[in-house]
Amino acid sequence: MMNDKKYSLHILYKNVLSRRRAVQNRGLTLIELLVAVAIVAIMIMVFGQILNSSQSAVSNSQTTMRTCAAAAAIEKVIRDDLRKVTQNGFLCITQNPVDGSPRLIAVTSGVTPSKKTADIGNGGIVCLGLCNNHMSNNNVINPANILYHQAWVLFGTGGPTIGSDILGYDLESIVKLPRSDTTPGLNDMNDLASFIGLGWAPSTSYTANSSIKIPTNDTNDINALWQVLASQCTNLSIMWTDGSVSDGSNNLCWYGIPAIGNTVGKPAAGANPDDNYWKSITFDPNDPSQIEFTAGTNIYRALWTKENQSNWPKAIRIRFTLADPALLGEGISAREYEIICPVGQ
């Protein structure tokens, strides 16, 4: 009887063990497999979205760092230039006659080494502008949106040559130039008005296509003489202030060339502030107090010279928009930057 019980328990144990093994060895059903696949797919999708968000945040951060670094470098160049501007020379804010983009041209003083030779001048001429469309060597217009910085060295010996940044004038020669002469011409160097004109041919011995223009209009005129501060730069604005504030507020009044919209001239006494009265004023060589005038069809020009140093601007405001060239076409928005700095300080 005892043996029968042991035998029955043994059979029961074997049955339980065989069933457990059967359950352990049984594969997944189709429904269980589909549920597992769906769960894995959802997890991959969630992790993918998290990864994309992280990559986007990193990319935007890198873009901000690159554009901010470029803007900081641009600010250093501009501040160094405006700090060295001398009121014994000239300062001019004008427009590119082709596209209306603003330009700044000024005489600087102090030790100025050449970037092309071993010569060192006692001053320089700098130009800041936006080259929206430039001519390549095969005369094809290439849109570039280049913010450029053109620098010339005032060195009293030797004439200018193509590919050189040396001008055959020293600072004293520039200072002695009158505001304007009675017969100004585009290709003479007898007065500041002509100097800031549309062009200057360094010598009659050079051919017409090798003339050096201050400021430049295209890359053929530059011949590697400008420093590219940034590409993919748009909405350049150059404004100036005399320190006056608008009525009813402490905001400074700014005049000059905004990036978008009409130029802003300083209104005459009693005139409507919205009137750009400069459009009807031509350059008067006998009026050293004159600041703004027209330089062609609706081409704004503001000129400060040594003849009246009391009317020079207190500060210059430059705004521009930068985009990261590495991320063009990826929907990354450009960023706007502003630089405000005094002149000659």
Side-chain angles (χ1 to χ4, degrees):
M1 202 60 183
M2 184 63 68
N3 291 334
D4 291 342
K5 288 183 179 181
K6 289 183 178 180
Y7 179 77
S8 299
L9 291 174
H10 180 70
I11 296 299
L12 180 61
Y13 174 76
K14 289 181 64 177
N15 289 337
V16 171
L17 185 60
S18 63
R19 289 177 183 177
R20 183 177 297 175
R21 289 175 178 174
V23 171
Q24 291 176 345
N25 296 331
R26 182 173 59 87
L28 293 173
T29 65
L30 180 59
I31 295 177
E32 291 173 334
L33 182 62
L34 291 176
V35 171
V37 170
I39 293 174
V40 172
I42 293 174
M43 293 178 62
I44 292 175
M45 184 182 301
V46 172
F47 288 139
Q49 290 178 348
I50 295 175
L51 181 60
N52 287 337
S53 299
S54 300
Q55 289 178 336
S56 178
V58 171
S59 178
N60 289 337
S61 177
Q62 291 176 340
T63 299
T64 301
M65 291 174 61
R66 282 192 292 263
T67 54
C68 287
I74 293 171
E75 179 178 7
K76 183 180 185 306
V77 172
I78 292 175
R79 288 189 180 278
D80 286 347
D81 283 344
L82 294 182
R83 176 176 54 83
K84 294 188 293 185
V85 168
T86 172
Q87 292 187 352
N88 290 322
F90 65 80
L91 169 65
C92 180
I93 297 175
T94 185
Q95 289 177 284
N96 185 330
V98 178
D99 57 21
S101 62
R103 287 173 169 167
L104 184 147
I105 315 160
V107 173
T108 60
S109 63
V111 176
T112 307
S114 169
K115 294 182 176 62
K116 309 289 289 187
T117 67
D119 297 317
I120 298 177
N122 60 354
I125 296 176
V126 295
C127 176
L128 179 74
L130 188 64
C131 190
N132 287 318
N133 292 292
H134 69 276
M135 300 292 292
S136 63
N137 291 330
N138 57 359
N139 293 327
V140 176
I141 296 179
N142 297 321
N145 296 331
I146 292 175
L147 179 64
Y148 69 86
H149 173 263
Q150 191 176 13
W152 301 82
V153 178
L154 293 175
F155 192 70
T157 61
T161 59
I162 301 304
S164 170
D165 59 352
I166 298 295
L167 295 182
Y169 289 79
D170 55 17
L171 182 59
E172 288 76 14
S173 300
I174 297 296
V175 169
K176 291 179 181 178
L177 290 177
R179 181 180 174 90
S180 180
D181 61 18
T182 56
T183 58
L186 291 180
N187 293 329
D188 66 26
M189 283 286 291
N190 299 323
D191 63 284
L192 290 177
S194 297
F195 192 97
I196 314 171
L198 297 180
W200 168 46
S203 171
T204 56
S205 62
Y206 291 102
T207 58
N209 61 4
S210 64
S211 63
I212 299 175
K213 294 181 180 179
I214 303 176
T216 183
N217 281 328
D218 55 62
T219 52
N220 286 336
D221 298 326
I222 299 166
N223 290 290
L225 289 185
W226 40 256
Q227 174 187 3
V228 175
L229 300 183
S231 61
Q232 304 306 325
C233 177
T234 56
N235 299 330
L236 177 64
S237 168
I238 301 179
M239 310 283 284
W240 63 276
T241 182
D242 58 0
S244 60
V245 297
S246 57
D247 295 336
S249 72
N250 292 323
N251 297 325
L252 289 172
C253 294
W254 293 96
Y255 314 106
I257 309 166
I260 301 175
N262 203 357
T263 50
V264 181
K266 185 177 180 180
N272 187 338
D274 295 330
D275 292 338
N276 285 316
Y277 78 104
W278 62 268
K279 292 183 178 180
S280 61
I281 298 178
T282 57
F283 178 74
D284 184 358
N286 299 316
D287 183 7
S289 64
Q290 183 188 57
I291 297 176
E292 300 168 309
F293 53 93
T294 179
T297 305
N298 292 335
I299 299 298
Y300 177 90
R301 183 163 293 176
L303 174 63
W304 296 268
T305 61
K306 63 181 181 297
E307 277 78 9
N308 191 343
Q309 298 185 3
S310 62
N311 67 354
W312 275 60
K314 302 299 183 183
I316 300 291
R317 185 183 72 187
I318 298 176
R319 290 176 174 172
F320 53 90
T321 300
L322 285 184
D324 187 352
L327 296 176
L328 289 180
E330 297 187 16
I332 304 299
S333 60
R335 290 169 172 81
E336 185 178 10
Y337 298 91
E338 179 181 83
I339 301 170
I340 299 178
C341 49
V343 178
Q345 300 181 24

